[in-house]
Amino acid sequence: MGLYRFHVRDASGLVEDEEGTELPDLHAVLAEALRCTREVMAEAPAIAGMEFVITDEAGRLVLTLPIQNVPSAQPDRAQGQAA
């Protein structure tokens, strides 16, 4: 497990995540970032240029992710249908 901080950057600067989130690996970091993006988008439209800046506990950049509409994971509708 590692501590990851999900900072938010927009035109006015960087809002730092002071607490962070414990996650097991980078796959979990990406899943959490996508979940947070959907949550932000459900509350209000994103501001152009707004993004998550995710760092590890040492402060190293792990991922930057624009805050924009992210489709939910949905099963492939074509599966199981005859061609």
Side-chain angles (χ1 to χ4, degrees):
M1 293 285 272
L3 182 70
Y4 296 91
R5 297 185 190 279
F6 289 71
H7 312 297
V8 176
R9 177 182 294 142
D10 64 13
S12 63
L14 186 70
V15 177
E16 294 190 29
D17 175 2
E18 306 252 338
E19 296 177 20
T21 303
E22 289 278 340
L23 295 166
D25 56 31
L26 292 178
H27 291 305
V29 170
L30 178 57
E32 180 67 5
L34 293 172
R35 186 195 68 74
C36 290
T37 297
R38 285 186 204 96
E39 188 176 290
V40 168
M41 291 302 299
E43 293 175 13
I47 298 169
M50 183 181 270
E51 64 185 358
F52 282 112
V53 177
I54 303 164
T55 59
D56 64 14
E57 52 196 312
R60 293 179 297 238
L61 179 64
V62 173
L63 177 70
T64 8
L65 182 72
I67 298 175
Q68 59 189 18
N69 282 327
V70 176
S72 297
Q74 295 181 6
D76 184 358
R77 293 181 185 186
Q79 276 185 337
Q81 294 179 0

